[in-house]
Amino acid sequence: MQYRTILFAAASAASLWAGAAAAQPAKTAEVEELVVTGTRTEGRTRLETLAPVDVVSAEALQQRGTTELATALATSVPSITFPRPSNTDGTDTIRPATLRGQGPDQTLVLVNGARRHATALVNTNGSVGRGSAAVDLNAIPSTAIERIEVLRDGASAQYGSDAIAGVINLRLREADHGGGLSVTTGQYMTHLDGFYGRKGNVTDGLTTTVSGWQGLSLLGDGFVTLSAEYRTRENTNRSDIDPRLGRVTSRFGDADVDDLSLYLNAGKPLNDNWSAYGWYGYQKREGSSAATYRTPTDATQNIISVYPNGYLPLLKTKTEDHSAGVGLKGELAGFKTDVNLVYGKNTIDFNVANTLNPSLGPTSPHQFYAGQLAYDQLVFGADFSREVEVGLVKPLNVAFGVEARRETYQIGAGEPGSYIRGPFTTLALGSRGFTGFTPSNVVDVDRDAAGVYLDLEGNLTEKLSASAAVRYENYSDFGDTTTGKLSARYDFTPEFALRGSVSTGFRAPALQQQFYTATSILYINGVPFETGTYPSVSPVGKALGGKALEPETSENYALGLVYRKGAFELTIDAYQIKVEDRIVLSETLTGSATAAVGTNARTIYDLLSPYGASAARFFINGVNTDTKGVDIVAHYRIQDDQAGTFDLTAAGNINNLNVTKTPVTAATILPSPVSLFARQATKRFEEGTPDKKLTLQGDWSKDGWGATLRSTFYGDVLSPGTLADGSADSHTGVRGVVDAEARYTFPVGVTVSLGADNLFDTYPNQIVPALNTTGAAPYSSFSPFGFGGRFVYGRLAYKW
């Protein structure tokens, strides 16, 4: 079936391309999109830049079944991956995206050119992006977006920390009139064929999204654009029958999610030289995801009189996200000037339902408040630029600026019942499914950072353009860093050019990585001991060799070509990204009081017992990676009076990441050095995202009719197991996924669309029974296209 799907997809895209080419177009059109990301020179199009920039329009984001911004972006840009993990706590509802296989926190996200805040969540479970605290792209509704610019090149010297893999710049909609309203609803209509007997058609995951925007005039010559979106999604479940009990006991799939998003974007000229602008965004999201099923006979985690059939704990998260920015643009002493102040805050409350604290006995509550994470960021930026005559063929653009940032991070404790040890000392303690944050986990920290940059860009000759950037930043917690970048482009002819860059980059350790703490209490011979995640500079972390975190550093190399002739465009960009001292979450080091003296386990116990701990993991520097790859994008646009307009795109990414160094415990800490980043973690880095991804897409429109056919091919992804010989590994397999949509716009402005994402109901490989003995998780959470199956949808939209 999978081979037929791939062949059909390839044939469909090829025939569409060939049919359009054979139409002998009466005229062609080339879309000239001016970009502002990666350059501070005005007037460059995406094909004239010195580094590759993808431009994704609002219309392109909406012509698919998903209404999630990150999912839509991942299907539009092959170098972006956005998996759908399950049973990973808060990561089920706040999912990370990756660019060019790098960490989710190694891509800088901007809104209207200004740095956006990260989420408070640290991904601590076994998902892609483990150990990162990244920006939540789904906190911004797609209806508020005018377009997205994706800079696929290292840009720390231009924008600061986090831009190791590149930059995603979300440009908000600017309109003083007009508006739109759309309702999209759909659900999964799929067929299951489980190893343990769950077979047949399944319909679930009903999702409805209502979104709209309205442009308003502000005092005659300004604008206010209001955007709103409400989405409700029911959970999906791909768990198989549990062979122990003969029924489905688990829930493996998308979480239940309800979110409401509101955005306002405004601008107003103040006089002939100055204008004011600002935006405000808010999202409230409530999610409910499942933990691991507890069987009726579980001797430590269940009380059979409370849950005679066992129970499935549910983690319920409530997330609030605020973002606001104000600024002034104008001319000061001949310099184009942009001064802005941006604030963002992300707060996550954790609740656990359908659970109990077994140690409290039969009277234990069934739900608990488990604590809160909060992160906020205040950024002041001032940017200045002007063209200066220095004797070149064109004026040199000189840009410089400053940025100051203050960040805070907090952890709040849960209610006592979510973490305490009750009178039933032989039973597990804390709320099952997610143990609450304890008073010893409470954190309230902050830091300051300031930076300055200089950016030069101009034409050295009629055909040769170049840029140079240098940036210096100082952080209150670890010191300073300097990065630089050189880029060049040579246009041999109006149709053909070569471009390349060399840069250094950095990513500052996040406060979340420096101070995240989550522990539970174990009793050993009646004595309480903590186990969990500790700051690297805590007494527990230091006892095992933890040190203050330092910034990650990178070297980026890129070389590409641009070819355009008429309506045909082709870009090929090869790259290499070397990252040193990547910050990762270590392996858990576990002690034992009964182990022989001189063994690692006994030594760990002796080191940690003075601090009331028995096992620990912490964040560390020390992983080096080397990534090599190539991005290829081809586009052909045809306009024919008889056949209509065809937009044909073939885009692919080949990405090979290798871990070249991993840290081990010092010989002065343990008798036998132990890897702090073992095989499973290494393989997750190297093979947790597809090494190949290809998208073939055809868009057709004529009069009121339109259609989109998209085929996406994914290379094999590894879900690494815990065994050193690899026998517990699983593979998703090479897969092709086909999406299709047809639409018609009535003369009154109403558009009706029908479509299906994953039209042919493609799944990754099932995990073999030996690795899924309970039937709970038959597919890998590392699948780059998820494991939900076919999603059928309809959309009704109206523009005015």
Side-chain angles (χ1 to χ4, degrees), residues 85 136 267 594 640 743:
D136 180 12
T594 60
D640 182 83
R743 50 193 170 268

Side-chain angles (χ1 to χ4, degrees), residues 445-492:
V445 293
D446 60 69
R447 75 171 173 198
D448 301 312
V452 296
Y453 74 87
L454 175 66
D455 192 339
L456 308 176
E457 185 173 344
N459 285 73
L460 304 182
T461 69
E462 288 290 347
K463 295 185 176 182
L464 177 63
S465 55
S467 69
V470 62
R471 189 181 190 98
Y472 169 82
E473 292 204 16
N474 181 271
Y475 286 74
S476 60
D477 50 354
F478 67 78
D480 55 10
T481 182
T482 302
T483 54
K485 181 174 183 177
L486 294 173
S487 302
R489 173 186 173 118
Y490 191 85
D491 288 85
F492 292 89

